[in-house]
Amino acid sequence: NVHPDRRLPACQGVARAPWRAATPAQGSRYRLRRHARCNRRFRLPPSRTRRHRTHPAERGVALCVEPTHDLPHRRRRCPQMVNVPKERKTFCKGKKCKKHTVHKVTQYKAGKASSFAQGKRRYDEKQTGFGGQTKPVFHKKAKTTKKVTIRLECKECKSKKQLVLKRCKHFELGEKKKGGGPSY
């Protein structure tokens, strides 16, 4: 699926570079490279390497005609409020189910840290005696939101899994009833 005149991948869509060989005898001295997008081979002359700041067509880099994204890259703000229904139908990996079932949704909350965990025991042992604080204490807090984790429990086989959502300011389970103000 390579254009015979250009010896470039068909997805490239750029004009033939002046150094491209028209005859196959000249083209044999060119190194073969694989195009990153369509994995087809195309030729690159031995003198040109990626270090030279040349036009992408001369380097053999494909210039895609179709846009790769709709919007320009810009910083996305995290949503203010997220409403998640208390039940959702999703795939269950349990041995009994292995299909889409209804799951009960709850918000995950970290349990109380155990004082007998290996890291805590090691830290307490290191802190004993003279010498002050031995491990770094984090002070440079910059984030204003946290990533929300929801816990999904299958209603059929009771198997549980967790799902991490994006950052948000406020998180709610179950949609809030929108009241039209006080009723008289």
Side-chain angles (χ1 to χ4, degrees):
N1 203 5
V2 177
H3 197 279
D5 188 34
R6 291 184 289 186
R7 293 198 193 95
L8 284 171
C11 70
Q12 183 163 354
V14 293
R16 190 171 72 110
W19 46 263
R20 296 244 177 246
T23 60
Q26 275 184 308
S28 60
R29 66 187 177 86
Y30 286 79
R31 292 199 305 274
L32 282 175
R33 291 273 178 89
R34 283 199 175 272
H35 182 230
R37 204 154 152 264
C38 60
N39 205 24
R40 293 195 189 96
R41 290 183 174 183
F42 62 100
R43 298 182 188 281
L44 195 68
S47 61
R48 302 279 188 192
T49 59
R50 288 186 183 179
R51 285 175 300 191
H52 296 293
R53 294 190 177 273
T54 54
H55 191 268
E58 291 184 29
R59 287 194 310 235
V61 177
L63 298 177
C64 302
V65 179
E66 66 274 1
T68 53
H69 54 273
D70 300 331
L71 295 170
H73 292 293
R74 62 170 176 239
R75 197 171 172 186
R76 293 187 186 92
R77 292 193 319 162
C78 59
Q80 294 291 322
M81 172 85 68
V82 173
N83 274 324
V84 175
K86 290 186 177 177
E87 285 183 354
R88 80 190 271 178
K89 196 171 185 182
T90 185
F91 186 76
C92 176
K93 288 183 184 176
K95 291 178 183 176
K96 295 177 186 174
C97 294
K98 297 270 187 197
K99 62 182 179 182
H100 273 70
T101 56
V102 179
H103 285 65
K104 190 174 92 173
V105 179
T106 53
Q107 187 174 359
Y108 167 76
K109 186 174 178 285
K112 188 187 171 204
S114 170
S115 59
F116 297 108
Q118 178 59 66
K120 178 70 173 153
R121 284 182 279 148
R122 187 185 293 118
Y123 177 73
D124 290 340
E125 184 62 32
K126 196 173 186 182
Q127 284 286 94
T128 56
F130 299 107
Q133 182 66 34
T134 57
K135 300 285 277 181
V137 179
F138 183 70
H139 293 299
K140 295 183 179 180
K141 187 175 181 294
K143 299 274 189 280
T144 56
T145 56
K146 286 187 176 181
K147 289 183 180 178
V148 178
T149 304
I150 58 173
R151 192 163 173 266
L152 303 165
E153 183 182 342
C154 177
K155 289 201 164 184
E156 291 181 21
C157 67
K158 304 294 180 193
S159 69
K160 298 158 191 74
K161 67 176 181 179
Q162 290 177 347
L163 183 69
V164 181
L165 304 180
K166 290 181 180 177
R167 294 179 179 276
C168 60
K169 297 270 185 188
H170 301 288
F171 176 78
E172 269 183 16
L173 269 176
E175 292 187 26
K176 216 177 199 178
K177 297 279 190 291
K178 289 191 177 178
S183 58
Y184 298 105

